[in-house]
Amino acid sequence: EAEVAQSPRYKITEKSQAVAFWCDPISGHATLYWYRQILGQGPELLVQFQDESVVDDSQLPKDRFSAERLKGVDSTLKIQPAELGDSAMYLCASSLGLGRNTEAFFGQGTRLTVV
Amino acid sequence: AQKITQTQPGMFVQEKEAVTLDCTYDTSDQSYGLFWYKQPSSGEMIFLIYQGSYDEQNATEGRYSLNFQKARKSANLVISASQLGDSAMYFCAMREGSGGGSYIPTFGRGTSLIVHP
């Protein structure tokens, strides 16, 4: 069964270091999302891509976070420098399109701990 | 203002009984979609059910049904015949238009469901 692949599953990094997460969406899915989920809360959308273009990144802290999807397939989310408050689960999801009825499929996430 | 409100941080239900998880939403759009996801302790978000704003019938998927009350802006999830494996976090989500034909998804804070044997 097709699935969204994310790596690494777990990451521990020191404050002020750089960290990167990778996501490979389901084949054929044009839309890719990165979410941050703080423990005990719902996922918060950081960035949404349609192919290689950013559709929405209004909640992405652009002073330290960056995201790219250069060839419109896999994507990388980077944090530099990491802060203690960045400790969270980072979820990647993909969907066929941007429509209101479009179901998103999620990966297993990367759990980041900043020490 | 919160786009999605889930007022029940935690719910308990006896195995084989039905349970309703509440969700209210806030939008001025006429066209939007409502979703429920399940998140077990493993962390992966699992899609359960979808309701479109123009759908007149309540959505159903197996043991899951969505009680859609458009005028009240509520989209409650009903799980019938609860099973131990239903114990998880449940998230209500909405996709509303952001212009240009794209719809941005927003999630609520979730409800933790525990099913007792």
Side-chain angles (χ1 to χ4, degrees):
Chain A
E1 184 178 313
E3 61 181 29
V4 176
Q6 285 189 251
S7 67
R9 287 290 310 278
Y10 304 93
K11 180 71 178 178
I12 300 174
T13 191
E14 292 184 348
K15 187 175 63 170
S16 79
Q17 294 297 304
V19 64
F21 315 125
W22 177 79
C23 173
D24 191 15
I26 293 173
S27 178
H29 280 195
T31 309
L32 184 146
Y33 317 79
W34 282 103
Y35 286 90
R36 176 172 60 187
Q37 185 178 21
I38 295 169
L39 191 63
Q41 297 184 20
E44 171 196 21
L45 181 69
L46 293 175
V47 61
Q48 179 174 332
F49 289 93
Q50 178 69 6
D51 299 313
E52 65 275 8
S53 300
V54 173
V55 173
D56 185 275
D57 64 355
S58 56
Q59 300 302 311
L60 187 72
K62 298 181 187 64
D63 57 335
R64 297 185 300 108
F65 286 64
S66 64
E68 60 183 17
R69 193 184 184 199
L70 293 176
K71 296 182 180 179
V73 181
D74 59 339
S75 176
T76 302
L77 178 70
K78 296 178 182 176
I79 307 174
Q80 182 173 18
E83 296 181 352
L84 296 177
D86 297 331
S87 294
M89 175 79 89
Y90 290 83
L91 292 164
C92 179
S94 69
S95 64
L96 282 171
L98 294 166
R100 66 182 174 96
N101 63 342
T102 303
E103 169 194 348
F105 295 83
F106 283 78
Q108 291 195 301
T110 296
R111 187 169 296 282
L112 173 68
T113 302
V114 182
V115 298
Chain B
Q2 288 286 329
K3 290 280 187 181
I4 298 287
T5 302
Q6 294 181 253
T7 57
Q8 306 153 313
M11 290 285 286
F12 298 87
V13 66
Q14 201 78 23
E15 194 179 8
K16 300 179 186 175
E17 293 187 349
V19 62
T20 298
L21 306 183
D22 295 342
C23 172
T24 57
Y25 58 92
D26 181 25
T27 182
S28 56
D29 287 357
Q30 295 300 309
S31 175
Y32 51 90
L34 297 159
F35 301 76
W36 278 91
Y37 284 84
K38 171 184 178 181
Q39 188 177 40
S41 56
S42 59
E44 186 176 357
M45 299 282 281
I46 302 166
F47 166 75
L48 297 177
I49 196 166
Y50 163 79
Q51 179 86 40
S53 58
Y54 296 120
D55 296 340
E56 294 185 355
Q57 301 265 7
N58 285 340
T60 60
E61 288 285 350
R63 296 186 299 110
Y64 304 107
S65 60
L66 200 152
N67 184 359
F68 181 46
Q69 298 187 44
K70 193 170 183 177
R72 291 179 145 189
K73 293 188 177 179
S74 78
N76 298 339
L77 176 70
V78 180
I79 305 174
S80 62
S82 298
Q83 301 172 357
L84 296 179
D86 294 335
S87 294
M89 286 291 294
Y90 289 80
F91 292 94
C92 180
M94 175 175 64
R95 294 183 77 114
E96 58 178 339
S98 66
S102 66
Y103 288 78
I104 302 298
T106 306
F107 283 77
R109 294 177 66 98
T111 295
S112 173
L113 176 66
I114 296 176
V115 181
H116 289 300

